[in-house]
Amino acid sequence: MKSIAELHQLFLKSSGACTDTRNIIEGSMFFALKGANFDGNQFAEQAIADGAKCAIVDDEKAWGDDSVIVVDDVLKTLQNLANYHRTYLNIPIIGITGTNGKTSTKELVNAVLCKGLNVCATKGNLNNHIGVPLTLLSMDEKIEVGVVEMGANHVGEIAELCAIAQPNCGIITNVGKAHIEGFGSFEGVKKAKSELYRFIESVNGTLFVNGENQHLKSMLDVGATIISYGSVGVDNVSCKEISNHPLLSFIAKVGEKDMRLSTHLIGAYNIENVLAAISIGMYFNIDVSDIKAAIELYVPSNNRSQLIKTATNQILLDAYNANPSSMALALANFIKLDHQNKVLVIGEMKELGESSIEEHQNIIDTIIKEDFSQVFLLGTSFSQVSCSDGSFAVFSTTLDLINYLKDHPIKDSFVFIKGSRSNKLEDVVKYL
């Protein structure tokens, strides 16, 4: 059986790591992972036929020749190889986690750092026990800094990801109510996210902290350099004179200088993400003018706070994810925006456990106080809560909503769409 060092030598001569035979890269190493409904060992032969240099399997009965390497556990081998490669590269790794905003912050940090450095950042949502190793293995010797997003839905997961990626810089964007089923409570969320702080502190690294967030400040210990950002009064980077109509613009105070920013972002809640990116850019000596340019050129994608104009409506699409914290912030922002005909399309929130009905009722209680032209609710969770005047339309599935919109078109409106990823509310856009 080959050692991790030997596998790493093979990896350096390959074109990278693959885990899906549908996306085999010529000359890559195929890792035969197993899941609830599949066994990658069964696809080793296909991977080699499609051009993989070798296949890493953990079933001795799998098809094999000299191109197949048997290990005890493919997933563990993938993680150990990624950790070995991270040590081999010996570059700064920035770990990013948080309840909300971690992907937006990651994208902004990547945009900023790319102005002066060779950067590799997590692609899409590859932020779990498989995605993090793949992100690390996508880095080559030209990369000067890595930006690694870390997601979690249970206590201990961030610690595991830190053990693999070994970040020496870190940021928790915020902590809020999400994945309560896995974390057990809000305190469980804080405990889980603070695992990043504990790791960075253990290596005497650097933490970027929203100095106004009391939850984050209470989670800090000692042993790390702290760089803070927030509103006026925070030492490193702060902001003032905020405008949000609907695109966000504000003045960031960087040291003693002002940076006027006009972004393609929507919602004041994005300010902390921008300030974090500025702080990290300054730490890595990116020129202030390049930081400004990177942030102003950044356009959100992947169904995250996208402003879309159709032939008949304006749409704010934020359908990548939803939890009580992000939903409250997004609704508060949309309520403040001026438009004569504002329409809501709200999908249910997932993984809330016993608090699900309460949290969905909170959304209803917020909406009912406002003067929206129409409100469409999606998912069984909303059918279990109380709406006093019965004026909201509730649909079981996205398809049901689409069929309704076909017969009852919406025109001349500003439509806000938000819900959990599983709702696939982005499919509604073409019918607006």
Side-chain angles (χ1 to χ4, degrees):
M1 187 172 293
K2 292 185 182 295
S3 67
I4 292 298
E6 290 173 316
L7 287 176
H8 188 249
Q9 287 302 308
L10 286 175
F11 172 75
L12 292 178
K13 296 174 184 177
S14 75
S15 59
C18 286
T19 61
D20 190 335
T21 52
R22 294 169 297 184
N23 301 305
I24 290 293
I25 301 170
E26 185 74 27
S28 63
M29 295 177 72
F30 171 68
F31 288 82
L33 297 174
K34 293 191 289 287
N37 301 309
F38 67 92
D39 183 353
N41 289 284
Q42 298 175 3
F43 300 97
E45 181 178 4
Q46 184 64 49
I48 299 298
D50 289 345
K53 179 185 183 71
C54 62
I56 312 300
V57 304
D58 50 18
D59 183 353
E60 293 182 355
K61 297 178 181 179
W63 174 90
D65 61 13
D66 292 342
S67 300
V68 174
I69 300 169
V70 180
V71 298
D72 289 334
D73 186 312
V74 172
L75 175 58
K76 193 64 178 177
T77 298
L78 176 69
Q79 294 171 338
N80 289 341
L81 179 63
N83 175 254
Y84 191 98
H85 186 59
R86 184 267 178 273
T87 303
Y88 168 80
L89 292 176
N90 192 30
I91 59 174
I93 296 289
I94 305 166
I96 299 179
T97 191
T99 301
N100 304 311
K102 55 183 175 291
T103 300
S104 295
T105 300
K106 178 257 298 182
E107 294 293 340
L108 286 163
V109 169
N110 182 41
V112 166
L113 294 183
C114 280
K115 287 293 186 178
L117 298 165
N118 289 323
V119 185
C120 179
T122 299
K123 290 181 174 59
N125 63 340
L126 294 175
N127 62 11
N128 63 6
H129 61 295
I130 297 172
V132 167
L134 290 176
T135 297
L136 294 169
L137 291 172
S138 70
M139 302 178 188
D140 60 27
E141 294 174 342
K142 297 178 183 179
I143 298 300
E144 297 172 286
V145 60
V147 182
V148 179
E149 181 180 331
M150 299 178 179
N153 56 23
H154 61 265
V155 173
E157 193 168 0
I158 296 297
E160 293 172 2
L161 298 179
C162 285
I164 297 169
Q166 296 181 11
N168 36 29
C169 295
I171 175 172
I172 302 174
T173 55
N174 51 53
V175 286
K177 296 177 180 178
H179 303 296
I180 298 299
E181 277 185 336
F183 293 128
S185 65
F186 177 57
E187 288 304 313
V189 175
K190 291 172 64 176
K191 180 180 180 181
K193 300 301 182 182
S194 67
E195 291 164 6
L196 177 61
Y197 280 177
R198 300 293 83 81
F199 185 89
I200 299 297
E201 290 164 351
S202 73
V203 297
N204 296 313
T206 300
L207 291 171
F208 301 89
V209 182
N210 184 340
E212 294 180 294
N213 191 312
Q214 296 304 315
H215 291 302
L216 295 179
K217 291 172 69 175
S218 70
M219 291 157 57
L220 291 169
D221 201 340
V222 294
T225 299
I226 307 297
I227 296 177
S228 61
Y229 57 90
S231 67
V232 176
V234 176
D235 293 339
N236 184 50
V237 176
S238 56
C239 73
K240 57 183 180 180
E241 296 185 29
I242 302 166
S243 176
N244 187 31
H245 299 290
L247 295 179
L248 179 65
S249 63
F250 62 96
I251 297 174
K253 186 173 178 59
V254 183
E256 298 300 319
K257 296 182 178 180
D258 287 345
M259 179 192 299
R260 187 175 295 275
L261 291 163
S262 297
T263 78
H264 293 281
L265 301 166
I266 295 178
Y269 50 84
N270 270 305
I271 290 175
E272 59 186 298
N273 303 332
V274 174
L275 296 182
I278 294 172
S279 296
I280 293 173
M282 295 295 292
Y283 178 81
F284 282 93
N285 298 314
I286 304 300
D287 186 84
V288 173
S289 62
D290 287 333
I291 293 175
K292 172 181 168 66
I295 291 170
E296 293 192 325
L297 288 171
Y298 172 73
V299 179
S301 58
N302 298 323
N303 307 320
R304 288 183 173 89
S305 297
Q306 290 179 254
L307 188 63
I308 301 170
K309 291 186 178 181
T310 68
T312 56
N313 298 295
Q314 183 171 240
I315 300 169
L316 173 52
L317 177 63
D318 192 1
Y320 184 81
N321 202 2
N323 56 60
S325 302
S326 66
M327 187 70 80
L329 289 170
L331 277 174
N333 175 74
F334 188 64
I335 288 168
K336 293 177 182 178
L337 300 180
D338 292 328
H339 197 282
Q340 287 185 340
N341 298 308
K342 291 199 289 187
V343 176
L344 291 182
V345 178
I346 302 296
E348 64 182 343
M349 303 173 289
K350 302 290 188 177
E351 298 182 50
L352 295 179
E354 295 180 356
S355 64
S356 180
I357 293 179
E358 177 186 356
E359 295 297 350
H360 284 88
Q361 186 66 58
N362 289 340
I363 299 300
I364 295 295
D365 293 344
T366 298
I367 294 172
I368 208 166
K369 297 174 184 176
E370 305 299 329
D371 185 24
F372 293 112
S373 299
Q374 297 182 80
V375 175
F376 302 99
L377 305 174
L378 184 78
T380 56
S381 297
F382 280 116
S383 65
Q384 300 175 42
V385 298
S386 172
C387 175
S388 61
D389 62 1
S391 62
F392 301 163
V394 182
F395 299 89
S396 297
T397 69
T398 301
L399 181 59
D400 292 336
L401 172 58
I402 288 172
N403 288 333
Y404 177 86
L405 293 175
K406 288 178 181 178
D407 296 330
H408 304 82
I410 295 173
K411 296 182 179 180
D412 303 320
S413 298
F414 191 1
V415 185
F416 176 49
I417 303 175
K418 187 170 179 64
S420 289
R421 184 70 194 89
S422 58
N423 298 145
K424 295 184 178 180
L425 285 176
E426 65 275 11
D427 293 346
V428 175
V429 173
K430 67 178 70 175
Y431 302 97
L432 295 170

